[in-house]
Amino acid sequence: MVALLALPLQARGQQRLPIIDMHLHAYAANANGPPPLGLCVPILPHLAPLDPGREVFRAVAKAPPCSHPIWSPLTDQGVMDQTIAVLERRNIIGVLSGSPERVRRWYGAAPRRFIPSVEFQLGPDAPSPDSLRRLFKNGPFAVLGEVSNQYVGIGPDDERMEPYWALAEELDIPVAIHMGEGPAGAGYLFPKYRARLTSPYLLEDVLIRHPRLRVSVMHYGSPLIDEMIAMLGAYPQLYVDLGGIQWFYPREYFYQQLRRLIDAGFGKRIMFGSDQMVWPGVIEPAIAIIEEAPFLTAEQKRDIFYNNAARFLRLSEAEISKHHHRSL
Ligand SMILES: [Zn+2]
């Protein structure tokens, strides 16, 4: 028995405690530019001051200014396979956002590992409310997100979104919306991106009009923590995800932001998110930054990694047991 206990967890047939990644993308290898792209973590301190109008983010990714960049795989298959390998190793269930076709493909490759989500952006190619309704009715899609309208200059309270919010409320589909930073130089890469649309207050009229809507603010409206705290306080149904901000800013600054949300009493509504796009290698560093946060208790970490998302998504007892590899 003593010898048995000394074995690593996996050797004893036990698995790591599950993690729900609320912010995982199913992207092609070239979604962020021609691969391979090198990512320095954290991103911001590795960027040179902006030479106006230049494409900072991609330039840096081609010649990353750090000694151990995380390189993106060369092929679509590689992005998927390497992502699934990390999810298996760490017992992660990812809310997977992307085009319905690609999400279906990834889901088909590892159905235990994904909760399929429909990525959404208003524009000529946006699905109609009726076609979204069919996607949600026919499955396997269970979440609407990432809603990335900030990249096309459209705020959450824009009237063009109204039929979509009404649909999500009617069908009781949780929504995850990008509100926060884009890549450095976002306004040049995406000409209509505006930082000011990060304001969490822009959600207020949506929540007033749709009180039963389940909303997660992806990237927690970073860095507008005061506004986010005001919204979390006023709307107890509102959740946030960490969405890669833990590897965007220097660790200490991210910790200050996270700590303010925790100290304000919102530890039950913060959810883990890696914002993995084409770098499967960023998922584990994104986890480690939370695991190593010196001010979080073990219980707060479990809430962030799993319990809060399970509640937000309304996972069943059977699903929760399955994730923990328990039999009912
Ligand atoms: Zn985002």
Side-chain angles (χ1 to χ4, degrees):
M1 193 62 187
V2 172
L4 188 66
L5 286 175
L7 289 170
L9 278 180
Q10 286 83 350
R12 279 187 275 140
Q14 295 181 19
Q15 295 281 336
R16 289 173 184 269
L17 288 171
I19 292 172
I20 296 174
D21 184 345
M22 287 297 298
H23 201 136
L24 186 63
H25 293 285
Y27 280 169
N30 65 1
N32 291 72
L37 298 174
L39 181 67
C40 295
V41 171
I43 290 181
L44 275 189
H46 288 103
L47 293 177
L50 178 68
D51 187 350
R54 286 186 62 186
E55 200 187 56
V56 173
F57 180 68
R58 287 181 189 165
V60 166
K62 271 297 171 198
C66 57
S67 50
H68 299 289
I70 297 168
W71 286 103
S72 66
L74 290 170
T75 64
D76 297 356
Q77 187 75 29
V79 177
M80 182 182 83
D81 290 347
Q82 291 181 33
T83 301
I84 292 172
V86 177
L87 303 194
E88 291 287 350
R89 185 162 69 245
R90 298 299 300 257
N91 192 17
I92 300 167
I93 299 93
V95 173
L96 186 67
S97 111
S99 70
E101 304 73 43
R102 195 175 300 276
V103 169
R104 275 202 184 91
R105 200 172 325 132
W106 286 40
Y107 181 65
R112 293 183 315 129
R113 288 289 152 216
F114 296 119
I115 296 170
S117 183
V118 183
E119 193 162 299
F120 180 87
Q121 187 173 82
L122 275 174
D125 299 329
S128 67
D130 277 348
S131 61
L132 267 190
R133 178 186 295 273
R134 281 193 295 277
L135 279 179
F136 290 124
K137 289 277 187 205
N138 299 337
F141 299 95
V143 180
L144 176 61
E146 182 166 8
V147 176
S148 59
N149 291 337
Q150 185 169 0
Y151 286 99
V152 287
I154 295 172
D157 57 349
D158 190 288
E159 64 182 22
R160 286 169 286 180
M161 279 305 289
E162 194 51 32
Y164 296 99
W165 298 142
L167 179 75
E169 185 179 40
E170 178 200 332
L171 299 181
D172 197 20
I173 295 288
V175 171
I177 180 167
H178 175 104
M179 298 182 78
E181 289 88 354
Y188 304 112
L189 295 166
F190 308 95
K192 291 188 173 173
Y193 174 92
R194 291 296 178 270
R196 63 177 174 270
L197 294 176
T198 293
S199 171
Y201 290 149
L202 295 174
L203 261 182
E204 187 155 33
D205 288 345
V206 176
L207 298 178
I208 293 288
R209 282 197 296 269
H210 303 284
R212 289 182 300 111
L213 193 61
R214 283 186 279 163
V215 180
S216 165
V217 175
M218 306 177 100
H219 318 281
Y220 59 91
S222 169
L224 305 180
I225 301 300
D226 282 337
E227 289 190 20
M228 198 68 245
I229 286 173
M231 288 296 289
L232 288 166
Y235 300 94
Q237 76 274 34
L238 191 58
Y239 282 68
V240 299
D241 86 27
L242 300 179
I245 303 301
Q246 65 269 49
W247 51 266
F248 187 75
Y249 284 109
R251 181 183 292 227
E252 285 310 316
Y253 179 69
F254 165 73
Y255 280 168
Q256 288 170 25
Q257 293 193 343
L258 177 60
R259 180 151 196 171
R260 291 188 63 211
L261 292 171
I262 292 280
D263 287 350
F266 301 120
K268 298 286 185 193
R269 286 189 273 152
I270 301 168
M271 305 185 285
F272 173 75
S274 70
D275 201 8
Q276 141 55 1
M277 290 172 277
V278 295
W279 298 278
V282 86
I283 298 173
E284 289 186 294
I287 292 171
I289 292 166
I290 309 305
E291 283 176 334
E292 293 162 13
F295 53 91
L296 291 176
T297 65
E299 183 188 338
Q300 286 169 330
K301 289 177 194 173
R302 283 315 300 157
D303 285 345
I304 290 170
F305 279 131
Y306 188 86
N307 300 331
N308 296 343
R311 189 185 326 107
F312 175 72
L313 296 168
R314 296 205 192 114
L315 299 187
S316 67
E317 270 306 310
E319 287 168 309
I320 291 170
S321 291
K322 198 170 68 184
H323 295 163
H324 287 79
H325 299 269
R326 295 188 302 241
S327 51
L328 280 175

